Amino acid sequence: NGEPNTNLYMKGLPPDTTEMSLRAVFQPYGQVVSVKVLPCPNGVSTAAALVQMGSLKEAEWLVKNVNNNIPQGMSAPIQIRFANHIRGETRAGVLAAFGMSPA
């Protein structure tokens, strides 16, 4: 996990995940500021997403309590970590590319 912040990287999501379905799953855990489902590379059977939570406390709780567990509304465990560096990109650069602001 990277440095704690409100932006989370999630993977292991169902391949049919949409921004609306992710908001529905994670709104009970706190304010969902923005969601961006990332395109699935060829040969990958699960989706990934960037989710920005409304507070550091909410983001930290998800990383501590939901990472490697099954969130309410899903049927398989997912992985959640703080979105600092994704494939060599800086966190700010990746988030800007998806229209999200660094926290």
Side-chain angles (χ1 to χ4, degrees), residues 22-72:
L22 267 187
R23 281 185 183 275
V25 168
F26 288 100
Q27 278 179 330
Y29 296 102
Q31 180 191 6
V32 178
V33 175
S34 61
V35 175
K36 180 64 182 178
V37 178
L38 305 175
C40 285
N42 287 338
V44 176
S45 61
T46 59
L50 292 170
V51 176
Q52 184 177 12
M53 297 303 293
S55 74
L56 181 58
K57 183 178 180 180
E58 292 165 350
E60 287 177 323
W61 192 92
L62 284 169
V63 170
K64 183 178 179 182
N65 296 288
V66 182
N67 181 40
N68 293 319
N69 288 307
I70 303 171
Q72 289 276 57

